[in-house]
Structure formats: structure tokens, C-alpha cells
């Protein structure tokens, strides 16, 4: 179990380093029309200037969801901005999993349940963070007796 804890800790440390790196770029992703291109990294500056000058894209940004907006940008014209958007979109999914894991861990390992072993906690975390859905109808139909006799 200790090895699994080190793996989780290493994974979290890597994720938080990525968060720190991308934190500086999040305004360019979330509010591309309100940031100054001079404050952007070199590879994004020209594309941000082009984006600011396009009134049609400005209106699309206001009308569409952020995911649809970035998916409709021209791939050849806004290559760096689209790459940043992909990184930011994939980042939110992974942080959700970390937050969900910590919530499950805090609910299961608390002052009232001090005797839960690390092995059991690991099993609970694995079950709770997996997208597996059991087929309950099949399981119930496959049993000939719902309540076995004593």
C-alpha cells in the first residue's frame, strides 16, 4: 500500500506543477479578448492580435460555449491558441478526478472510522473513481434466490 501512496503522491505533485505552469496562461484561454497580447507568451502574441482584430470571432466568443468557440477556430490560423485550449480543457478533467478522490478519501477515512486499513481505503477509492456501472438487472435475474436461507 505504501508504494501506491507514493505513486498517488508523485502523480499529484506532477499535476500541481502542471497547474502552476498553466495558471499563468489561463487568462489567455478564458478571456482571450480582454488580455493584452504584449503580456502573452511570444508564440501566442501574433495569434492573439489576429483574434482581437476579428469582430466575427469576438461575437462568436460571446455567443458560444468556450469549448465550441475553440473547436471552431481555424486550425492553421490559430494553431497555438488551439493547442493551449486543448491543454486547458484536458486539465480540468484531470483535476476533477483528483478532487473526487480526495473527497471520497475524506468521507471514508475520518475520526469515526479510524480502523479502516490502507488496503481497504485504496479499494474504496478505486471503486468510487471508476466509471464502471454494474448491470443490476442481469445480476438479480441470474440469482435463483434473492435471500439465501441461513
Amino acid at each position: 500500500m505504501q508504494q501506491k501512496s507514493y505513486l498517488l503522491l508523485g502523480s499529484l505533485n506532477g499535476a500541481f506543477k502542471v497547474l502552476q505552469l498553466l495558471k499563468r496562461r489561463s487568462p489567455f484561454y478564458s478571456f482571450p479578448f480582454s488580455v493584452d497580447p504584449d503580456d502573452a507568451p511570444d508564440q501566442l502574441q501574433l495569434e492573439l492580435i489576429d483574434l482581437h482584430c476579428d469582430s466575427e470571432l469576438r461575437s462568436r466568443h460571446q455567443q458560444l460555449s468556450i469549448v465550441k468557440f475553440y473547436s471552431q477556430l481555424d486550425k492553421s490560423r490559430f494553431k497555438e491558441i488551439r493547442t493551449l485550449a486543448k491543454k486547458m480543457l484536458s486539465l480540468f478533467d484531470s483535476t476533477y478526478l483528483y478532487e473526487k478522490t480526495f473527497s471520497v478519501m475524506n468521507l471514508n477515512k475520518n475520526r469515526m472510522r479510524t480502523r479502516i486499513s490502507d488496503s481497504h481505503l485504496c479499494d474504496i477509492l478505486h471503486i468510487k473513481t471508476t466509471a464502471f456501472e454494474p448491470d443490476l438487472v442481469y445480476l438479480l435475474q441470474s440469482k435463483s434466490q434473492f435471500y439465501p436461507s441461513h
Side-chain angles (χ1 to χ4, degrees):
M1 176 62 197
Q2 194 138 14
Q3 183 181 9
K4 290 180 184 179
S5 297
Y6 288 127
L7 290 175
L8 180 63
L9 183 63
S11 177
L12 289 173
N13 284 337
F16 288 124
K17 285 179 185 175
V18 170
L19 277 173
Q20 290 299 322
L21 290 173
L22 292 177
K23 183 180 177 183
R24 287 179 260 141
R25 295 192 178 166
S26 69
F28 307 111
Y29 164 74
S30 303
F31 310 106
F33 290 97
S34 61
V35 296
D36 185 7
D38 291 335
D39 295 336
D42 293 340
Q43 68 270 17
L44 290 176
Q45 286 182 352
L46 291 175
E47 290 183 11
L48 274 173
I49 292 169
D50 286 346
L51 193 68
H52 285 201
C53 293
D54 195 327
S55 59
E56 182 182 335
L57 289 177
R58 184 180 296 268
S59 71
R60 276 194 208 163
H61 183 261
Q62 293 170 351
Q63 295 170 355
L64 300 174
S65 70
I66 200 157
V67 176
K68 286 187 180 183
F69 171 74
Y70 282 111
S71 66
Q72 290 183 358
L73 282 180
D74 183 13
K75 292 177 184 178
S76 60
R77 189 172 162 202
F78 298 105
K79 182 180 178 183
E80 294 296 327
I81 291 176
R82 284 177 54 93
T83 301
L84 175 65
K86 287 178 189 176
K87 287 179 184 177
M88 295 300 289
L89 287 169
S90 66
L91 175 72
F92 294 122
D93 185 43
S94 64
T95 57
Y96 165 76
L97 186 58
Y98 290 124
E99 289 175 17
K100 182 178 177 181
T101 303
F102 278 118
S103 295
V104 170
M105 187 172 65
N106 286 332
L107 287 172
N108 285 287
K109 188 130 184 172
N110 55 37
R111 285 186 223 160
M112 306 305 265
R113 297 181 76 183
T114 57
R115 291 186 155 194
I116 190 169
S117 69
D118 287 344
S119 175
H120 284 110
L121 181 62
C122 186
D123 293 339
I124 290 169
L125 291 174
H126 185 72
I127 290 169
K128 287 292 208 174
T129 56
T130 302
F132 176 73
E133 290 289 327
D135 187 359
L136 295 176
V137 173
Y138 171 76
L139 290 172
L140 290 173
Q141 289 174 349
S142 67
K143 300 292 181 187
S144 61
Q145 185 179 1
F146 293 121
Y147 298 104
S149 60
H150 301 293

